[in-house]
Amino acid sequence: MPPGRQISIRVQMLDDTQEVFEVSQRAPGKALFDLVCAHLNLIEGDYFGLEFQDQRKMIVWLDLLKPILKQIRRPKNTILRFVVKFFPPDHTLLLEELTRYLFALQIKHDLACGRLTCNESSAALLVSHIVQSEIGDFDEVQCKQHLLNNKYIPEQDTLMDKIIEYHRKHVGQTPAESDYQLLEIARRLEMYGVRLHPAKDREGTKLSLAVAHSGVLVFQGHTKINSFNWSKVRKLSFKRKRFLIKLRPDLNQSNYQDTLEFMMGSRDCCKVFWKICVEYHAFFRLFEEPKPKPKPVLFTRGSSFRFSGRTQRQVIDYVKDSEFKKVPFERKHSKIQSSSGLSPFPPRQCAEGQGERNTSASAHQADSPVGRTQVTVENPALQRYTGSLTSQTNGCRNGTHDEADARLKPSPSKQQAEHLSTGPVSRSPQHSESPSAGQVMVNGQKQSLSLGQSPDGRQPSPLTSPLLTDAGFVRTDDEDEVRRKRFPTDKAYFIAKELLTTERTYLKDLEVITVSFQKSVGKDEAMPDSLRNLIFANFEPVYKFHETFLKDVEQRLAQWEGRSNAHIKGDYQRVGDVMLKNIQGLKLLTAHLQKHSEALLELERTCRSSRKLEGLCRDFELQKVCYLPLNIFFLRPLHRLMHYKQILERLCKHYPPTHEDFRESRAALADISEMVVQLHGTLLKMENFQKLLELKKDLTGIDNLAVPGREFIRLGCLSKLSGKGLQQRMFFLFNDVLMYTSRGMTTSNQFKVHGQLSLYGMTIRESEDEWGVPHSFTLFGQRQSVVVAASSASEMEKWVEDIKMAIELADKCNGPSTEILSSSFTDSKSPEESSADQESEDDLSASRTSLERQTPHRGNTTVHVCWHRNTSVSMVDFSVALENQLSGNLLRKFKNSNGWQKLWVVFTNFSLFFYKTHQDEYPLASLPLLGYSITIPSESENIHKDYVFKLHFKSHVYYFRSESEYTFERWMEVIRSATCSLSRKEPHVY
């Protein structure tokens, strides 16, 4: 606080109390704001601000950098209001109960004044949670009297019965849980956090402008009619009464407007709204607080206003790094805690144990590490390949998503402790056991609600997961040092441990078929008995066998690590004998393994004839436990044979011939190699068949993709030259046809076929010089020619090589294929004629609450990842990615954080899937690796740890740390197989 005469300033809090603060007459706004936060003991104060009515009768925010008296001319007659300034898309990012309580009070205010509009059902549900937090469990007389004495919404009298009906269902819900539910419902409403600023468009139509975490919004009345995502906005400015939004160029739109203009009431109105936009953009999008611009020497031009304070990323870092314990606070309006006036949490203590938190302003200004860009929300369902489909300015939080294990039901106090240790879990606090707790009404729609889900029926995005944001690390810096001293360091031990970790994942994958899928289809008679027997009678014996196998491996590793008395007897540091015994047992199951491919074919045939079974399978694929396409799980047993072969090859290569375990390892390798050779042809056919089935789901208008003789070769992005310039297209190459598509705006995010080129008689010519387009080449078909361009020289080389190979295959056939894809499009129809809607990566990431716009169907498959990362992948890459599965514990950190978080990580299908432990039933988040690079950190990155590798794509950076040199090399090897395309193998003609 600067020296000088003290002045008194009144601040009205969110609980309607007023406090008087003494500040110096020369103090900047930040001094007052810090005093308010210290008074509340509020750690996450950066979400809030102080607003007041200035001399122009306009509501403005107190500028934290300017002196208070330059902003408030008559401080004695001015009341500042402490309110929420920045509304995050996900309230689980608010780590403190006090912060969520203050947000709940803000929602209560917005409802009362009519600012937060919604339908009657949502309004009644919101009020019922407020009533539950204020008077506790339902009592009809008390509830009615309370509603008569307190008005929460303008139309409360007409909704009295509905509010009472909802309140009856909240028995057992604590005030903290009520706050959670209130915010969960409110954040889904279109007017959540919206502050309207009147404006007109160029035609004079009355509109309103608003700003949110995602960008600038345009409303007509209370209906949002347009939004401009930050990633599309190049510049915001104002000239007198005109507010200008300059957009980035969009080559895909013919009627593209570079600048949008809105007229506001006055220059002051324009400037106020512009300032709010600047602050919102900085808070939610920037890494750290922007630095002040150097003062010009001669004259100034434009406004010098800048955002002041921590960004959202820095706030999360600060709370996590401070490790404060909870401090009591009083709920002014709640009668539940009137006896003590306190929440059930112990006082907040500093991490060093130095007593209660310092309430001075300096405590609020504690240094925080540099934050990361806030991440974007994606598809609501955690599907295969859920991940970061974001532009460079969006932080990667592939994600998708972070629901905790539904079997865990922590108390609120325990959950708060988890916030400090593992980040913000997104499950709701413990729900009531009342029968009606499973359904809520949001905007008139009934939503089912299971434990571990938010009231909107969606799991939070994996990209906002505590696993893929760094809010709340488990600090495990010395854990590996302790481990190295306790456990063996022999390479054979780590090979055996890889067998153990991957076997755990494999058994879980078998459970998807034998337990989850069987349970899902068992409820209905849609599956014929013959198919049911074919699938489960051939999977269950394999599952039971591997249960025993896993126990054998776990027991041997326990002996090897000295966790049993076996070391007294000596010979336990080997695994070849365990492998040999079980592989000999596995050979007896060969007949069952051969039936798995037949089961997949029969399931597909039955689904074609039975819409009911097809619907069941589709619904099952949307379950979290089915984290990959269903038909991939049918191929898992055949892939596992290859994993055993790879493990035994490494083991035999490591052992000298004189080692006591060498002979049995060699014998086991011979047995498993025999099985692999026997089943390899079947595996190749089924992998191709599975990929055709998967691609069929991503394409619209194609009925006969999976036909005998058709081979998938490559898919990926190329730019097609047309009259409108280069346009991004997704190309699919098979051994008889090349087709190109664009991403449609369908509800299922499928790709729309624009054209097909028969490969028979096609020629290819590089044409970079001819068209002046880098990495371009021309495809000459029998009826048309197409000019395309790759994103890089290496991509062009892969495409040209594979297309030439496909042309050779087509020419070997007798004339053109009779199985050209049937669809509503013809080769002669150009993509431009159908004027397909283009959706860019920015569109997908347009809003972190864009979950409402997306459907949980086909939004994050490999095809979509290739589309957004502008890359390609071949069938060879698919095969290698399936063969190179790996599982195990890794430590993970971000580039600007200090702590490491321990995760159970599974690599498969070009993606890393993240779990808290290997016992979890389903992944909490995932990260697709296509387009990523894997390197070793440089000295300048200050990662002073061994066995660390770095994953990065554009601005997204992750560090992972393994336990040994062997595991480090294995993770590097398998991830490279997903991030670097391989040279093609010879084609397999079936």
Side-chain angles (χ1 to χ4, degrees):
M1 185 73 66
R5 185 172 61 86
Q6 300 287 300
I7 58 174
S8 299
I9 296 182
R10 283 184 296 164
V11 176
Q12 182 167 313
M13 303 298 180
L14 279 163
D15 60 2
D16 294 326
T17 60
Q18 287 190 9
E19 301 290 340
V20 178
F21 295 93
E22 300 287 331
V23 295
S24 166
Q25 62 179 356
R26 291 187 288 174
K30 183 167 176 54
L32 173 61
F33 183 74
D34 287 340
L35 285 176
V36 175
C37 291
H39 167 76
L40 293 170
N41 228 341
L42 179 63
I43 297 296
E44 298 171 292
D46 301 80
Y47 289 101
F48 301 83
L50 294 168
E51 66 176 13
F52 63 98
Q53 190 176 57
D54 65 6
Q55 68 274 14
R56 300 162 298 183
K57 305 298 181 183
M58 296 178 61
I59 301 298
V60 296
W61 293 104
L62 183 71
D63 191 322
L64 301 186
L65 298 179
K66 290 183 178 179
I68 297 173
L69 286 185
K70 283 195 174 182
Q71 304 177 66
I72 305 174
R73 299 297 169 86
R74 303 174 65 188
K76 288 184 179 179
N77 300 326
T78 302
I79 299 177
L80 284 79
R81 289 185 297 277
F82 180 80
V83 293
V84 175
K85 186 174 186 179
F86 301 112
F87 289 82
D90 187 353
H91 63 279
T92 59
L93 297 173
L94 308 175
L95 306 186
E96 301 246 309
E97 184 193 349
L98 171 59
T99 314
R100 290 194 294 273
Y101 168 62
L102 294 174
F103 265 75
L105 291 179
Q106 182 68 64
I107 298 301
K108 180 179 167 184
H109 277 281
D110 290 352
L111 277 172
C113 69
R115 182 185 277 169
L116 181 59
T117 58
C118 54
N119 62 35
E120 292 183 352
S121 295
S122 297
L125 184 58
L126 289 166
V127 173
S128 70
H129 285 297
I130 296 173
V131 173
Q132 174 70 20
S133 70
E134 294 187 357
I135 67 172
D137 288 346
F138 178 74
D139 177 275
E140 188 164 0
V141 175
Q142 185 186 18
C143 180
K144 280 186 176 180
Q145 191 60 43
H146 186 78
L147 289 170
L148 290 171
N149 295 335
N150 298 273
K151 192 160 188 177
Y152 298 107
I153 48 178
E155 65 278 10
Q156 182 167 301
D157 293 341
T158 60
L159 295 178
M160 184 86 74
D161 293 339
K162 192 170 280 191
I163 295 170
I164 291 171
E165 178 188 343
Y166 283 134
H167 183 208
R168 193 192 307 270
K169 300 175 182 178
H170 302 329
V171 175
Q173 194 169 283
T174 66
E177 293 166 349
S178 296
D179 292 345
Y180 183 100
Q181 298 294 345
L182 184 74
L183 296 176
E184 185 65 43
I185 298 160
R187 74 183 180 93
R188 297 187 63 238
L189 301 173
E190 191 162 68
M191 297 300 293
Y192 169 68
V194 169
R195 304 295 182 255
L196 298 176
H197 297 258
K200 293 180 181 179
D201 63 11
R202 285 179 175 176
E203 286 73 40
T205 306
K206 289 186 178 180
L207 303 169
S208 295
L209 298 181
V211 63
H213 63 278
S214 57
V216 181
L217 313 177
V218 183
F219 284 81
Q220 197 162 33
H222 285 86
T223 303
K224 185 170 70 175
I225 61 171
N226 209 343
S227 61
F228 302 101
N229 183 19
W230 292 128
S231 57
K232 287 187 172 184
V233 175
R234 182 168 59 86
K235 184 179 180 182
L236 292 174
S237 60
F238 66 96
K239 292 181 180 178
R240 297 183 178 87
K241 297 198 298 185
R242 292 182 298 148
F243 184 78
L244 305 174
I245 303 176
K246 294 186 178 180
L247 302 175
R248 299 185 187 280
D250 188 347
L251 300 178
N252 296 324
Q253 292 186 9
S254 57
N255 57 347
Y256 168 74
Q257 279 186 278
D258 173 70
T259 304
L260 298 167
E261 184 178 303
F262 298 91
M263 296 294 291
M264 304 190 82
S266 64
R267 179 187 181 278
D268 291 335
C269 294
C270 260
K271 187 171 185 179
V272 166
F273 182 63
W274 174 78
K275 283 184 175 182
I276 297 170
C277 291
V278 169
E279 293 189 305
Y280 251 85
H281 177 271
F283 183 75
F284 286 109
R285 299 281 289 183
L286 296 189
F287 287 86
E288 59 183 334
E289 178 182 353
K291 301 289 189 297
K293 292 181 180 178
K295 291 185 177 180
V297 178
L298 297 177
F299 59 89
T300 62
R301 183 181 178 185
S303 174
S304 62
F305 175 76
R306 69 180 176 89
F307 170 74
S308 171
R310 286 187 286 254
T311 65
Q312 185 187 36
R313 196 71 265 146
Q314 289 177 303
V315 175
I316 294 173
D317 286 342
Y318 174 59
V319 177
K320 175 258 300 181
D321 289 338
S322 302
E323 295 179 354
F324 291 117
K325 294 180 182 177
K326 302 299 164 187
V327 79
F329 65 90
E330 184 176 356
R331 292 175 176 268
K332 299 283 185 183
H333 302 279
S334 180
K335 300 177 182 178
I336 304 174
Q337 298 168 352
S338 56
S339 58
S340 63
L342 300 178
S343 74
F345 300 102
R348 176 184 282 125
Q349 301 288 331
C350 292
E352 297 77 27
Q354 295 178 1
E356 196 162 292
R357 180 167 74 97
N358 186 351
T359 56
S360 69
S362 62
H364 190 69
Q365 300 172 19
D367 292 336
S368 64
V370 177
R372 276 144 304 286
T373 308
Q374 176 56 38
V375 290
T376 55
V377 168
E378 296 215 61
N379 217 345
L382 182 58
Q383 301 170 327
R384 50 254 165 229
Y385 297 108
T386 302
S388 62
L389 311 179
T390 57
S391 62
Q392 183 169 355
T393 54
N394 290 336
C396 175
R397 70 208 218 324
N398 113 146
T400 241
H401 248 346
D402 50 358
E403 203 170 321
D405 193 328
R407 293 172 299 183
L408 302 176
K409 298 170 67 175
S411 65
S413 57
K414 179 181 177 182
Q415 189 181 4
Q416 294 291 343
E418 288 175 354
H419 279 315
L420 290 173
S421 63
T422 61
V425 282
S426 61
R427 61 176 176 269
S428 159
Q430 187 171 347
H431 287 272
S432 143
E433 297 299 326
S434 62
S436 57
Q439 292 190 333
V440 294
M441 294 289 290
V442 179
N443 275 343
Q445 296 182 349
K446 190 172 287 187
Q447 310 267 343
S448 62
L449 178 65
S450 61
L451 184 63
Q453 283 188 312
S454 52
D456 55 10
R458 293 183 269 108
Q459 56 182 122
S461 168
L463 306 185
T464 50
S465 167
L467 302 175
L468 286 176
T469 62
D470 78 351
F473 281 92
V474 182
R475 299 183 180 275
T476 52
D477 287 351
D478 300 320
E479 187 174 303
D480 57 339
E481 303 297 335
V482 175
R483 182 172 186 82
R484 287 176 196 170
K485 294 176 183 178
R486 284 185 53 197
F487 294 115
T489 56
D490 180 29
K491 184 177 180 180
Y493 163 76
F494 291 110
I495 294 174
K497 190 169 181 185
E498 180 183 330
L499 171 66
L500 170 66
T501 56
T502 53
E503 190 69 14
R504 283 172 172 164
T505 297
Y506 174 53
L507 199 65
K508 286 285 185 186
D509 287 349
L510 288 177
E511 284 181 4
V512 173
I513 299 291
T514 59
V515 179
S516 304
F517 184 58
Q518 184 168 208
K519 182 180 178 183
S520 184
V521 298
K523 302 172 184 176
D524 209 293
E525 299 297 324
M527 181 177 284
D529 290 340
S530 58
L531 177 59
R532 189 187 303 272
N533 293 334
L534 180 61
I535 295 176
F536 303 121
N538 288 294
F539 267 90
E540 286 173 352
V542 176
Y543 173 69
K544 289 175 182 176
F545 168 81
H546 283 281
E547 275 188 315
T548 306
F549 188 10
L550 178 59
K551 288 175 184 175
D552 289 347
V553 178
E554 285 176 334
Q555 183 179 3
R556 177 53 56 90
L557 264 293
Q559 294 168 345
W560 204 327
E561 294 169 354
R563 289 185 282 124
S564 72
N565 293 326
H567 62 281
I568 299 172
K569 301 175 184 177
D571 186 20
Y572 58 88
Q573 293 190 346
R574 58 190 183 127
V575 77
D577 57 328
V578 176
M579 291 285 285
L580 179 60
K581 182 187 82 170
N582 283 281
I583 285 172
Q584 288 173 344
L586 189 58
K587 288 178 73 175
L588 302 176
L589 298 173
T590 302
H592 292 295
L593 296 174
Q594 289 172 329
K595 289 283 188 180
H596 291 172
S597 59
E598 185 182 333
L600 177 57
L601 288 166
E602 187 61 32
L603 178 63
E604 171 61 17
R605 277 195 290 264
T606 310
C607 283
R608 285 181 186 175
S609 59
S610 171
R611 186 166 293 182
K612 193 173 185 180
L613 179 60
E614 183 185 21
L616 282 175
C617 292
R618 185 174 60 249
D619 292 343
F620 178 71
E621 279 198 315
L622 296 179
Q623 293 183 23
K624 290 170 292 191
V625 70
C626 190
Y627 67 101
L628 299 171
L630 173 60
N631 47 32
I632 284 182
F633 292 101
F634 282 82
L635 303 182
R636 275 290 187 252
L638 298 181
H639 289 136
R640 189 58 179 156
L641 300 181
M642 306 189 77
H643 301 158
Y644 293 145
K645 183 173 179 284
Q646 293 169 359
I647 288 170
L648 284 164
E649 283 173 343
R650 285 193 293 274
L651 200 59
C652 290
K653 188 176 180 179
H654 168 69
Y655 283 144
T658 55
H659 194 281
E660 58 186 354
D661 201 27
F662 179 79
R663 180 179 296 178
E664 288 169 317
S665 299
R666 190 69 177 267
L669 177 59
D671 285 345
I672 199 67
S673 298
E674 181 185 338
M675 293 184 68
V676 167
V677 170
Q678 186 179 355
L679 296 167
H680 188 59
T682 301
L683 176 60
L684 290 175
K685 289 181 182 180
M686 299 318 297
E687 281 183 345
N688 183 71
F689 180 65
Q690 183 274 324
K691 187 47 59 183
L692 293 176
L693 295 180
E694 187 64 16
L695 293 180
K696 180 183 172 184
K697 297 175 184 176
D698 283 312
L699 297 168
T700 180
I702 298 299
D703 299 321
N704 62 334
L705 192 63
V707 297
R710 174 163 292 134
E711 289 185 60
F712 164 70
I713 297 174
R714 179 175 290 277
L715 65 85
C717 272
L718 292 170
S719 295
K720 180 178 175 295
L721 189 61
S722 69
K724 297 180 182 179
L726 288 172
Q727 293 186 315
Q728 184 180 0
R729 294 286 181 260
M730 178 64 74
F731 279 71
F732 296 83
L733 176 64
F734 303 93
N735 63 337
D736 59 344
V737 65
L738 172 68
M739 65 179 178
Y740 49 97
T741 68
S742 70
R743 176 168 175 172
M745 295 290 283
T746 63
T747 56
S748 54
N749 284 323
Q750 290 173 300
F751 284 81
K752 188 177 181 182
V753 177
H754 281 249
Q756 305 170 30
L757 299 171
S758 172
L759 296 178
Y760 180 74
M762 179 183 283
T763 57
I764 184 170
R765 185 182 74 201
E766 295 185 21
S767 52
E768 183 171 330
D769 296 335
E770 179 181 353
W771 294 100
V773 178
H775 320 307
S776 64
F777 53 96
T778 306
L779 302 169
F780 296 93
Q782 291 182 324
R783 288 186 290 172
Q784 70 175 115
S785 61
V786 175
V787 180
V788 295
S791 59
S792 64
S794 61
E795 276 290 300
M796 174 180 167
E797 183 182 349
K798 287 183 283 190
W799 272 108
V800 170
E801 182 183 6
D802 280 350
I803 292 173
K804 285 180 178 178
M805 177 196 71
I807 292 171
E808 289 175 13
L809 289 175
D811 289 342
K812 288 177 184 177
C813 301
N814 297 323
S817 171
T818 58
E819 293 288 351
I820 289 294
L821 304 172
S822 64
S823 72
S824 56
F825 301 93
T826 64
D827 287 342
S828 60
K829 183 169 182 179
S830 71
E832 289 70 36
E833 289 172 27
S834 58
S835 64
D837 293 318
Q838 290 286 314
E839 182 174 353
S840 68
E841 181 168 331
D842 293 340
D843 293 329
L844 185 71
S845 306
S847 167
R848 296 187 192 103
T849 55
S850 62
L851 293 173
E852 292 84 359
R853 296 193 300 128
Q854 307 226 2
T855 53
H857 293 305
R858 309 292 308 163
N860 290 303
T861 64
T862 317
V863 178
H864 289 80
V865 176
C866 286
W867 174 264
H868 290 290
R869 306 258 173 94
N870 198 20
T871 186
S872 68
V873 62
S874 70
M875 187 64 212
V876 176
D877 300 325
F878 278 110
S879 297
V880 170
L882 290 168
E883 293 167 10
N884 282 338
Q885 182 166 304
L886 192 61
S887 310
N889 285 311
L890 286 174
L891 301 177
R892 195 285 327 273
K893 78 180 286 292
F894 292 95
K895 61 182 177 182
N896 294 315
S897 60
N898 298 318
W900 293 81
Q901 187 177 18
K902 186 175 181 180
L903 302 169
W904 175 262
V905 183
V906 173
F907 166 81
T908 187
N909 282 39
F910 302 107
S911 295
L912 295 178
F913 293 90
F914 301 99
Y915 304 74
K916 284 190 177 179
T917 71
H918 68 84
Q919 287 120 337
D920 290 355
E921 295 297 324
Y922 49 81
L924 304 179
S926 64
L927 178 68
L929 298 178
L930 289 172
Y932 269 76
S933 298
I934 181 169
T935 56
I936 299 172
S938 62
E939 285 290 327
S940 61
E941 292 173 88
N942 295 320
I943 306 294
H944 304 299
K945 297 292 178 183
D946 295 331
Y947 314 131
V948 175
F949 60 89
K950 171 186 174 184
L951 279 172
H952 52 100
F953 171 72
K954 294 186 177 178
S955 61
H956 316 317
V957 178
Y958 303 101
Y959 298 101
F960 292 93
R961 188 163 134 219
S962 54
E963 64 179 342
S964 69
E965 183 180 0
Y966 172 80
T967 52
F968 168 75
E969 290 173 352
R970 284 291 294 135
W971 280 107
M972 290 281 286
E973 177 186 348
V974 299
I975 291 176
R976 277 200 182 106
S977 74
T979 57
C980 305
S981 291
L982 307 168
S983 59
R984 64 174 176 85
K985 296 178 183 175
E986 288 305 310
H988 305 283
V989 183
Y990 305 134

